[in-house]
Amino acid sequence: MKLLNGKELSNTIKQELTLEVQEMTKRGERVPHLAAVLVGDNPASESYVRSKVRSCQQVGFESTLIRRHADITEEELLEIIADLNSNRDIDGFIVQLPLPKHIDENNVTLAIDPKKDVDGFHPVNFGKMAQGLPAFLPATPFGIVTMLDRYGIETSGKECVVVGRSNIVGTPMSILLSRKAKVGNCTVTLTHSRTKDLRAHCLKADIIIAAIGIPNFITGDMIKEGAVVVDVGINRVDDTSKKRGYRLVGDVDFDQAAERAGYLTPVPGGVGPMTVVSLLMNTLRANREALYE
Ligand code: NAD
């Protein structure tokens, strides 16, 4: 089994981005600037946003973190978004999900200017992606595509099973892998909570993308010998031996999968860092596109 090391690959891409920022600075151009809006104090969201801001600093991007209490109203949040949309110093921004229950996430996503939607969640970007037009790709699927590309994994003609149909991972992943593209041309099956005999589907797969949110859900007996297994899951399970009281595990039983898979992503250190670096790549792209407006 070969490990798909997202941490190492994301560091390589960060070095490439750093060089690009240095070139931009030499040319006297404004460097990319990402803003992140964090509402409430969800510990997982805090850690994701911290890692996004830290990654911006590592590559020389500007970053702005806007924090608000969980009791912010939807109107107030929409005002912040309107300000970010019109702020010419900011190339792209994200509103970290999930949001408190009293805020409609759809209204928030729709309010973001698609030109600054570096998470790729706005229906305009989603629609362009589905049609194969240039668009901001959602960060996690974009990271997975980049990983398959950089590791030279052939996808054309392969059977791919995506487990989970969320708007941010499973569904866009199924679209990207079935597109006519360098990483694509797969025959994709999108499976979900109502799928019958998931194991039979998985066993046919040359590539499995697991995005379910249930620890160790994909077991060794669901994996075909030599398959590429990409584990998107990030689940906290109690672990008293750890200082923080928990450890992170994926949606795939790593030890069992390691016995069967040809390629496998670890958790942590697989898809997570690729998601963050994809956000940086989208922000760079937003910055370049703003230059020619
Ligand atoms: P979600 O919670 O929105 O949806 C889960 C999906 O799993 C649903 O579509 C559901 O149909 C499917 N599902 C549930 N039970 C199932 C079952 N028994 N059989 C088959 N399918 C089933 O998912 P999400 O937002 O895509 O997140 C999935 C996981 O990925 C979570 O652990 C999340 O933390 C993680 N995640 C990681 C990253 C990253 O950067 N690595 C990014 C986003 C999400």
Side-chain angles (χ1 to χ4, degrees):
M1 185 274 292
K2 192 170 189 311
L3 207 60
L4 294 170
N5 190 332
K7 191 164 190 330
E8 200 176 272
L9 177 55
S10 69
N11 282 335
T12 304
I13 296 174
K14 279 182 188 168
Q15 281 164 15
E16 294 166 9
L17 290 171
T18 306
L19 290 177
E20 215 155 327
V21 170
Q22 284 167 0
E23 290 301 317
M24 290 165 74
T25 310
K26 273 190 212 153
R27 291 195 298 266
E29 293 163 8
R30 193 173 58 73
V31 302
H33 187 167
L34 173 74
V37 183
L38 176 60
V39 178
D41 50 12
N42 176 322
S45 296
E46 294 237 5
S47 102
Y48 297 149
V49 168
R50 231 181 298 126
S51 138
K52 289 166 188 176
V53 169
R54 196 175 46 235
S55 296
C56 281
Q57 288 159 356
Q58 283 169 351
V59 300
F61 285 11
E62 297 260 355
S63 61
T64 298
L65 173 58
I66 301 170
R67 296 195 66 137
R68 291 293 182 271
H69 287 292
D71 61 3
I72 185 174
T73 65
E74 186 172 311
E75 288 67 33
E76 285 165 339
L77 183 57
L78 292 177
E79 267 173 39
I80 293 174
I81 292 172
D83 286 346
L84 290 169
N85 281 340
S86 59
N87 185 338
R88 294 186 68 92
D89 284 338
I90 285 172
D91 296 297
F93 64 96
I94 60 155
V95 179
Q96 185 67 42
L97 302 179
L99 290 167
K101 292 263 180 303
H102 65 277
I103 298 176
D104 184 336
E105 289 183 357
N106 283 329
N107 289 345
V108 169
T109 303
L110 282 171
I112 298 174
D113 181 345
K115 293 196 193 95
K116 294 193 175 190
D117 169 40
V118 284
D119 252 343
F121 294 166
H122 193 287
V124 165
N125 281 311
F126 201 94
K128 286 182 176 175
M129 172 196 68
Q131 294 190 342
L133 298 169
F136 292 119
L137 302 181
T140 301
F142 184 20
I144 294 170
V145 165
T146 305
M147 185 182 244
L148 296 174
D149 185 27
R150 295 279 187 120
Y151 272 92
I153 292 171
E154 181 58 72
T155 56
S156 183
K158 297 289 167 67
E159 292 287 334
C160 174
V161 168
V162 178
V163 191
R165 58 180 159 190
S166 72
N167 285 339
I168 62 169
V169 188
T171 297
M173 197 68 245
S174 71
I175 294 170
L176 288 172
L177 285 174
S178 56
R179 282 197 326 188
K180 192 170 181 179
K182 186 177 171 218
V183 176
N185 291 314
C186 287
T187 305
V188 179
T189 306
L190 179 57
T191 65
H192 44 76
S193 52
R194 303 289 179 94
T195 296
K196 287 200 178 115
D197 203 354
L198 182 65
R199 182 170 169 269
H201 284 288
C202 288
L203 273 173
K204 281 194 247 159
D206 303 306
I207 302 171
I208 296 179
I209 314 283
I212 313 144
I214 304 177
N216 302 323
F217 181 82
I218 304 287
T219 45
D221 62 335
M222 298 167 87
I223 299 169
K224 183 164 92 173
E225 198 72 47
V228 177
V229 180
V230 176
D231 188 354
V232 182
I234 303 177
N235 307 294
R236 290 179 176 206
V237 296
D238 293 341
D239 186 343
T240 47
S241 72
K242 303 274 176 206
K243 207 166 73 188
R244 52 190 183 180
Y246 67 88
R247 72 194 145 85
L248 295 180
V249 300
D251 290 346
V252 176
D253 185 310
F254 184 87
D255 293 337
Q256 291 185 17
E259 298 284 314
R260 310 265 299 179
Y263 290 89
L264 178 60
T265 60
V267 176
V271 175
M274 292 306 297
T275 297
V276 177
V277 91
S278 301
L279 187 64
L280 298 183
M281 291 196 283
N282 277 346
T283 306
L284 174 67
R285 177 188 178 132
N287 170 283
R288 297 292 80 190
E289 284 172 2
L291 199 64
Y292 301 110
E293 269 193 354

